[in-house]
Amino acid sequence: MSENLIGYIDNQGNIIDTQSAGQSCEGRAIEYDNSDEALEIIRHSTAHLMAQAINELYTNAKFFVGPVVDEGFYYDFEVDEKIGEEDLKKIEKKMKELIKKKYKIEKYEISKDEALEKFANDELKLAVLSRIDDDKLTIYKQGDFEDLCRGPHVPALRFLNNFKLTRVAGAYMGGDENAKMLTRIYGIAFADKQSLKDYMKMMEEAKKRDHRKIGSEMELFMFNEESGAGLPFWMPKGAKLRYKLENILHKAHIKRGYQPVRGPEILKADMWRTSGHYACYGENMYLTEIDGQEYGIKPMNCIGHIQIFKQTSKSYRDLPLRYYEYGVVHRHEKSGVLHGLLRVREFTQDDAHIFCTPEQIAPEVIKVVEFVDSVMKLFNFDYTMEISTKPEKAIGEDEVWEMATQGLKTALEENNLQYTIDEGGGAFYGPKIDIKITDAIGRKWQCGTIQVDFNLPQRFEVEYVAEDNTRKQPVMLHRAILGSFERFIGILTEHYAGEFPLFIAPTQVIIVPISEVHNSYAKELQAKLLDIDIDTEVFDKNESLNKRIRTAEKQRVPFVVIVGDEEVEKNSVAIRDRRKKEQYNLSFEYFMVELSKQLNEGKI
RNA sequence: GCCCAUAUGGCUCAGGGGUAGAGCACUUCCUUGGUAAGGAAGAGGUCGUGAGUUCAAGUCUCACUAUGGGCUCCA
């Protein structure tokens, strides 16, 4: 047996650890390295080692589950003491001590009855046992510490040297909000020290991209304690960025046959009763009273669009009818989930509702998917798609749900688009396709969405006149491409680390005059650039040239141009180009051509 | 909402029971400079809010507010 053997993969792809394999095992060997399989074993064992350390350090420690997850591992447990960030070091130290004791990790089998008896005083383990059907259970033992576990584990503690406990958190037992809260510690482990170092470095780099940090550095947006949580303010730079994005999207919508509309921010509660929002989404709504009548601030824009559709009679010739709105919505998100711009209580959706016939669903869904793709490509985003099915709180017949869900799947499958399924994750009125983008530190956020809805048209008696002169009900597709400007700009900020492409950059050019006598030339250029929709700043403060160049370079703008005697004379500019990372001179005329070219890259 | 942590000038942070500190930013003056920090002076904080302990509270206690990390991934 090799020194570095920590397990096998059998022909079904299962990982078998050395304890389970015994003397003889066919199957591919898993060596101690950073392969996915090896890391799974290493991290799982590190979670156990952590549990052993916690068990020695704290009184009455009881353990729930300690799985390997996408990024490392965690263990959920309960102790009498409070555990904070500071305690992680203490636990890490204990873990290192335990490794030195060179325990073997051994495995033995017991029956479920034996297990129930063994863990009779441990309610957490009993909870774990209650979720297991098998009668044959296994225990892993290292030193005095034993834990119910199905493995796999490394054969000895010496394989667990490179780990780091990353955070403490509370976690509901089994993820159930009604269950009790346990303490969870997350950690990460690798096969070698350098990989761990690299990982920690990467996390640090990611933090530098955090949109909240860059957002305040660049003065894009802010929050204000006195005004309330989750309510973003857009500062001038951020507002500029945002309106540029809005303008790009406006044109893209018009080009694709959408028409702008706008509904009120607040509607009578009865309207929300009819829609089902009051019953299914009421917890997230802000309600108020006007002249003795109850009103609800809109959490979605669909109801407004339905009223507009119904205002004039519609024919089948009008379908598919596409209404879009940058709709401001308010939602009462739980205080604990608010997160910078990525989860707020007031935000603007790039929302649209497509009224169409059932036959038009598939082609319309495809069109939206293509729209999404062109926006994602514009910003070089990787994204994933997920189909969400009927949730617990929902309106409408199962049959209708089934049909709509199938429609979405077919549309994606016919175009060979990959997707995953989120059972029960749909909106209350229909199934949906969600488009998810990953943030700087690997968290996935829902951005765009496409939802099929047979229910609201029925509830609001939405109709059109069909070819045969009968009245029929259209289907509604709810869709958003960015999702919300807030979240999208948050992710965009992390994606570009604040160095936005020229077509949305808040300030696109900074002009640095060499001395005071060149200020008028700089202002002249500024005016001409504004004529072609380029936002500029002139850095003409009473500071040294070097200082002003340095400050300009730190602003994350696409171009810094320097102008002095030579430029004034030749009507040119000396350019520091962020994209090319070099300096060169251009005639001002040609510079404007180049800028227009880069502005055009934003067209979709 | 729940668990843990954090809260000091616009920003980043130091201080840790005895009457507030630094750097950057800001203001004024000198300097008018050809490619990443020229110099000098100055202004700015009831240390998140409210209670409590104490002769004395940014500093200790509690509550609230806000912020941060989590709360699907099944021995």
Side-chain angles (χ1 to χ4, degrees), chain A residues 173 292 461 489:
Chain A
M173 187 163 81
E461 299 170 328
I489 290 174

Side-chain angles (χ1 to χ4, degrees), chain A residues 298-312:
Chain A
K298 69 174 177 181
M300 298 183 195
N301 306 297
C302 31
I303 309 309
H305 295 188
I306 290 173
Q307 306 316 312
I308 295 168
F309 184 95
K310 285 174 69 180
Q311 179 68 10
T312 57

